Amino acid sequence: MHYYITNNTSTEAVAIKDIPEVEYATLYNDLKERLKQEQYHVAHYFATPDENRLMFYIVLLDDKEHQIMLARFAMEYYDDIALPSLTALHPALHPFEREITELYNVHFGSMPWDKPLRFAEARRNRNSTIDNYPFYTIEGESLHEVNVGPIHAGIIEPGAFRFICNGEKVLHLEIALGYQHRGVESEFTSTNNRLRQTLLAESIAGDSAIAHTSAFAAAIERLSDNAISDSLATERIVALELERMAMHIADTGALSMDVGYQLGQVACEALRTMTINTTQAWCGNRFGKGLIRPCGTNKPLTKEKVEMILSNVEQISRRYAEVSDDIQSSPTLLSRFEHCGIVPQNEMQRIGGVGMAARASGLLRDIRSSHPWGAYNTEPRHDSCTMHDGDVMSRLKVRCEEVQQSAQRIKSLLEGYTTSEKHLRPDYECNLKPSHLSFGLIEGWRGEICHVALTDDKGQISTYKIKEPSLHNWLALALAVRGEGISDFPICNKSFNLSYCGHDL
Amino acid sequence: MIFPKIKVLHSHGWQYIPDLNDVTLTEEFRGRPELTVTEDMADVEAAAKLCPTGAISVAPFTLDLGRCLFCGECALRAPRNIRFTNDYKVGSTSREALVVTPETKQIDFHKELVRKEIPQLFSRSLKLRQVSAAGDASIEMELNATGNVNFDFGRYGVEFTASPRHSDGVVITGPISKNMAEPLEICYAAIPEPKITIVCGSEACSGGLFSQSKAIDRSFLQRHHVDLWLPGAPTHPMTFIDAVMNLIGKKQRQGNQ
Ligand code: SF4
């Protein structure tokens, strides 16, 4: 089958007419075989109205050849035929097919898990509401159900978890999401104010503001033929790695808290504070809001800020290394973290797991190495860190290593960094190419973030689709707790730390 | 096995902020803005047009912090007219007090609006239940941070609880999604009287970017009295701490003279 081929270093958007339009059967047969190979996975797959038709776009990644492959197919808007489900063969596609069914009432034949994805405002079936989510049940005298949420015990976002337990042991966990649905994607298309769109990108998931806004900026820059300078690309990567450090440290602290390891908890709290205060001293916001802007920046790095970042990062990485050494030499912690919440590699691949959780299971999914952009595309190449056991400890160890890698990356990018070029200011007025498709593909701290923007014939954004890595990884969490004691759920959950608002949009 | 721990402890040192009344944030931080009227207001008009949440009005010249996301772009567009200071004390008992005018030198807390039982009952112990209703996680993390090793707001008896039944009030974050409207109402009903309501973050104060979204249901705020409005995107832990201390009578911000 023929795809339009591009890659993550491309500075151009793709004319929609150049994307081959195929029959669904052709795509189905192609993906059926292709997705058996580890090198391929689907980064995005969605439908959008196109005059009186419904147009489906698929963004396929070839990790080995570093290619981004695009194709599309159409159906009449009111066609009532069921397309054969790809999820039935490759469960990794479940969130995409579920979204298409929820929004457009297109059914996929023999779809094994045909449930609402997020109870979006634009859903077709108005009788389907979040308080009557069809939870899976198992009959049995020795079984009981535990319902948690939507409001949880801590200060976190809402989501409903239903456990089916046999005694203390979890047989099945189902996670119902959608409580956080704000209508982010439709807000993108209901405004022409580019700054408003930028701030929407910053609020997709506040803990990944830098990653999501970087993806948005990349999509806009491709659409407006605004290739950014090397130094701006470098500064964005410094920001992205600071975000990764902050969140990995925060999660180390959260895991420590849940097993009663108070020393690690408070040490990590302090280190995270130091990391986000570094970001704040750079741009005025602890989460990096205001830092990433399309086509330029308001917050160029000055010599003083470079020095401040370098010295803080040096101290954070040293002190964090001491905490990780302590964790790895404490039998009481290891006995909680090891062999708990296992997701094996083949399972991770089957469900389409991405990011650091996939790497902890030995599945190499990392946009920094498979589809490098900016400074990741120059030497030294990013050497992704992978583990093998797929348990809580592996996910923690990936964090421990990646904090050091990020610190190293920041150091190598900023040591001796001076920029003589004058940074451009952000551009909120630039025209976008009409009838084009553009994308932003970034490895955030959780994993692969993929934004896709389509423009209409006047150059307005007509469709904006966001994929947060959590979309894939929530299922990994559900599988991780199978067979575990229910009291291990908190550490399994924290070891993934997935986004609710990024999923619910 | 004890040596690695001693090392961690040694490097960690003392991290808590000794005096929560004496905190100055970095110059970069965007807090309360100061407005200046100039003869030619063209820059302000441009800034008002650019503002993603419509927080700026030109005549009369005001900036509504309850809508502002503190992106700072208006100050870049109209540098003679708008300047952000690092003053984080921007919470108030009055929604109207969040509207900054050229005369504003400080956000007025409006102590007179505090119900008298609040300092009586809660000045030494205030337990709060947080409900995220489509908050974007940054604001939830900042609320968590109020209790962490740096800020340690627990030293004043202010803490977050797991159950609404053990709490004295609710802290709402996010623009309030339709899908969370009912759980929020149920949680609120479970809190024993007298109870307080704190609306935390500009998104919660006004809906922020989502004020026009069909997926939002803000009717809760019409049904229930709000005791504290806290702007921010996200609200800085110090903004929360300062406003709650004022609410429970541990501190007094001067009026708007
Ligand atoms: S800082 Fe506030 S008022 Fe100014 S443009 Fe941004 S959101 Fe609008």
Side-chain angles (χ1 to χ4, degrees):
Chain A
M1 192 194 121
H2 185 57
Y3 289 90
Y4 182 95
I5 310 279
T6 177
N7 66 52
N8 211 12
T9 57
S10 152
T11 54
E12 281 171 20
V14 182
I16 291 176
K17 65 172 179 7
D18 292 343
I19 302 172
E21 192 180 326
V22 298
E23 291 294 318
Y24 180 70
T26 318
L27 182 77
Y28 176 87
N29 288 327
D30 185 74
L31 289 179
K32 185 173 136 186
E33 294 307 318
R34 228 185 257 272
L35 292 177
K36 287 179 188 158
Q37 303 166 52
E38 194 182 312
Q39 79 188 79
Y40 296 105
H41 71 282
V42 176
H44 227 322
Y45 173 29
F46 58 88
T48 186
D50 180 7
E51 287 169 10
N52 49 6
R53 296 194 303 172
L54 201 53
M55 189 63 82
F56 297 70
Y57 292 86
I58 190 147
V59 181
L60 183 68
L61 300 186
D62 179 343
D63 287 359
K64 209 160 126 203
E65 302 298 329
H66 318 298
Q67 287 177 340
I68 300 172
M69 305 158 73
L70 305 169
R72 58 185 178 143
F73 68 91
M75 77 190 256
E76 294 299 314
Y77 203 77
Y78 292 105
D79 262 359
D80 206 13
I81 42 167
L83 306 172
S85 167
L86 277 162
T87 304
L89 308 169
H90 303 292
L93 287 153
H94 83 98
F96 302 124
E97 289 192 344
R98 285 166 64 192
E99 185 195 67
I100 293 168
T101 306
E102 182 170 52
L103 294 180
Y104 300 107
N105 216 18
V106 172
H107 286 278
F108 292 91
S110 64
M111 163 76 180
W113 201 250
D114 198 2
K115 297 196 182 195
L117 184 68
R118 55 171 80 95
F119 299 90
E121 182 56 23
R123 67 190 181 276
R124 274 295 175 79
N125 181 358
R126 304 305 300 180
N127 295 328
S128 144
T129 58
I130 199 156
D131 47 13
N132 59 26
Y133 180 89
F135 281 106
Y136 181 73
T137 54
I138 311 177
E139 299 287 316
E141 269 190 12
S142 60
L143 303 181
H144 68 282
E145 291 187 352
V146 180
N147 187 52
V148 181
I151 301 175
H152 299 261
I155 309 177
I156 49 166
E157 303 173 64
F161 297 177
R162 182 76 55 93
F163 298 86
I164 302 176
C165 298
N166 186 0
E168 292 288 295
K169 209 181 206 175
V170 179
L171 285 185
H172 178 80
L173 162 63
E174 187 165 356
I175 303 168
L177 298 173
Y179 294 94
Q180 293 283 72
H181 176 66
R182 298 160 283 175
V184 178
E185 290 179 338
S186 55
E187 289 299 309
F188 265 97
T189 52
S190 69
T191 178
N192 291 326
N193 182 330
R194 192 68 37 75
L195 176 60
R196 186 174 156 89
Q197 292 168 335
T198 311
L199 267 68
L200 279 165
E202 283 184 337
S203 69
I204 293 167
D207 55 22
S208 306
I210 291 169
H212 274 288
T213 316
S214 299
F216 167 75
I220 293 299
E221 284 147 9
R222 287 185 172 113
L223 274 173
S224 57
D225 276 336
N226 266 310
I228 57 167
S229 66
D230 287 348
S231 57
L232 182 55
T234 297
E235 293 185 13
R236 280 188 189 168
I237 284 172
V238 171
L240 185 69
E241 295 302 335
L242 274 173
E243 180 171 81
R244 191 181 322 276
M245 287 179 75
M247 287 309 299
H248 281 356
I249 294 171
D251 289 340
T252 310
L255 279 166
S256 302
M257 176 177 77
D258 276 2
V259 293
Y261 167 48
Q262 215 215 354
L263 179 62
Q265 180 199 339
V266 296
C268 287
E269 281 175 356
L271 290 173
R272 168 179 176 264
T273 304
M274 196 170 165
T275 317
I276 60 180
N277 282 354
T278 305
T279 304
Q280 179 176 252
W282 177 1
C283 74
N285 183 289
R286 308 216 298 170
F287 295 83
K289 292 184 177 183
L291 188 48
I292 311 292
R293 289 290 177 264
C295 315
T297 179
N298 291 323
K299 303 284 171 191
L301 277 177
T302 58
K303 197 161 158 281
E304 295 71 42
K305 286 182 178 174
V306 167
E307 275 161 21
M308 178 270 303
I309 294 171
L310 279 172
S311 96
N312 287 0
V313 163
E314 200 275 324
Q315 195 189 143
I316 295 161
S317 85
R318 180 178 52 77
R319 282 166 53 185
Y320 181 74
E322 292 171 0
V323 179
S324 33
D325 282 350
D326 187 31
I327 291 175
Q328 293 180 43
S329 62
S330 300
T332 45
L333 299 177
L334 296 179
S335 77
R336 288 294 308 275
F337 294 148
E338 285 181 340
H339 312 294
C340 176
I342 296 173
V343 185
Q345 186 196 347
N346 57 354
E347 198 74 5
M348 209 34 128
Q349 191 195 330
R350 230 166 67 84
I351 64 166
V354 292
M356 54 133 303
R359 298 196 283 282
S361 293
L363 176 66
L364 208 175
R365 292 276 188 248
D366 191 337
I367 300 298
R368 290 173 293 175
S369 52
S370 60
H371 302 272
W373 75 98
Y376 296 118
N377 200 32
T378 54
E379 299 301 331
R381 297 282 166 156
H382 181 71
D383 184 17
S384 295
C385 144
T386 53
M387 301 286 154
H388 299 285
D389 297 338
D391 55 1
V392 172
M393 190 64 206
S394 303
R395 290 185 281 278
L396 181 54
K397 281 200 317 220
V398 168
R399 289 185 168 93
C400 293
E401 282 205 16
E402 289 195 347
V403 168
Q404 302 304 339
Q405 274 189 330
S406 299
Q408 200 49 46
R409 174 67 69 175
I410 292 171
K411 204 171 146 211
S412 74
L413 288 176
L414 288 189
E415 265 178 359
Y417 177 82
T418 46
T419 166
S420 50
E421 63 184 87
K422 210 170 138 19
H423 273 298
L424 293 173
R425 280 296 186 87
D427 186 350
Y428 303 122
E429 309 292 331
C430 58
N431 289 328
L432 307 184
K433 283 186 273 188
S435 307
H436 272 64
L437 176 149
S438 182
F439 60 90
L441 189 60
I442 299 283
E443 184 76 14
W445 66 268
R446 270 195 197 92
E448 166 187 316
I449 286 171
C450 180
H451 289 200
V452 179
L454 302 182
T455 52
D456 62 15
D457 53 7
K458 293 183 196 65
Q460 309 288 354
I461 295 178
S462 56
T463 298
Y464 200 84
K465 297 300 290 181
I466 298 155
K467 192 203 62 184
E468 224 292 319
S470 309
L471 191 72
H472 302 291
N473 287 4
W474 276 110
L475 185 55
L477 169 62
L479 296 180
V481 297
R482 281 194 184 170
E484 298 296 348
I486 191 166
S487 53
D488 275 333
F489 174 71
I491 57 170
C492 290
N493 188 20
K494 299 254 166 72
S495 75
F496 286 92
N497 188 10
L498 301 173
S499 173
Y500 300 78
C501 55
H503 175 282
D504 296 347
L505 297 174
Chain B
M1 257 154 281
I2 191 72
F3 292 113
K5 294 194 199 307
I6 292 172
K7 232 171 154 182
V8 172
L9 205 56
H10 180 256
S11 297
H12 178 71
W14 296 101
Q15 295 290 339
Y16 78 104
I17 299 167
D19 183 0
L20 286 177
N21 290 316
D22 183 26
V23 174
T24 311
L25 300 182
T26 159
E27 283 295 317
E28 285 284 340
F29 178 77
R30 290 180 292 278
R32 175 180 54 81
E34 284 179 351
L35 309 185
T36 312
V37 179
T38 47
E39 208 140 284
D40 169 14
M41 291 289 274
D43 286 352
V44 177
E45 275 163 29
K49 204 165 144 251
L50 179 69
C51 175
T53 53
I56 301 171
S57 123
V58 185
F61 185 22
T62 61
L63 194 159
D64 181 1
L65 291 185
R67 291 202 210 174
C68 175
L69 299 176
F70 298 84
C71 68
E73 299 279 349
C74 54
L76 296 168
R77 194 56 71 98
R80 291 177 305 146
N81 307 92
I82 304 172
R83 189 181 74 87
F84 279 86
T85 71
N86 62 351
D87 177 8
Y88 55 80
K89 297 168 185 164
V90 292
S92 178
T93 52
S94 152
R95 175 67 181 85
E96 288 71 43
L98 303 186
V99 180
V100 174
T101 70
E103 284 72 51
T104 308
K105 295 284 166 271
Q106 188 173 43
I107 298 296
D108 196 341
F109 186 75
H110 283 291
K111 190 168 178 288
E112 73 284 0
L113 297 178
V114 177
R115 287 181 282 146
K116 72 174 185 316
E117 64 268 31
I118 293 181
Q120 273 169 14
L121 290 170
F122 303 128
S123 71
R124 282 184 295 177
S125 163
L126 176 66
K127 304 290 175 251
L128 296 166
R129 173 63 245 199
Q130 186 270 348
V131 178
S132 168
D136 78 357
S138 60
I139 188 140
E140 288 74 15
M141 293 184 83
E142 290 297 52
L143 286 173
N144 263 317
T146 62
N148 76 10
V149 62
N150 305 95
F151 296 101
D152 185 26
F153 201 17
R155 71 181 95 169
Y156 287 99
V158 183
E159 279 166 332
F160 288 91
T161 60
S163 166
R165 296 201 191 279
H166 301 159
S167 74
D168 308 311
V170 63
V171 180
I172 303 168
T173 57
I176 313 186
S177 54
K178 255 187 200 167
N179 290 346
M180 267 310 280
E182 195 191 354
L184 169 63
E185 196 68 54
I186 294 172
C187 176
Y188 182 78
I191 300 172
E193 297 278 358
K195 49 190 160 193
I196 65 176
T197 301
I198 298 176
V199 165
C200 189
S202 299
E203 288 201 331
C205 290
S206 66
L209 294 165
F210 304 100
S211 59
Q212 303 301 317
S213 167
K214 290 197 188 74
I216 297 301
D217 175 357
R218 298 177 53 75
S219 60
F220 179 93
L221 299 176
Q222 280 144 28
R223 284 191 299 277
H224 304 290
H225 172 76
V226 175
D227 294 285
L228 208 51
W229 301 88
L230 303 174
T235 305
H236 195 282
M238 282 313 301
T239 303
F240 180 84
I241 289 169
D242 165 74
V244 171
M245 296 241 286
N246 273 283
L247 184 72
I248 59 179
K250 284 276 176 210
K251 191 175 171 182
Q252 288 204 14
R253 195 187 307 158
Q254 297 303 310
N256 194 7
Q257 276 110 29

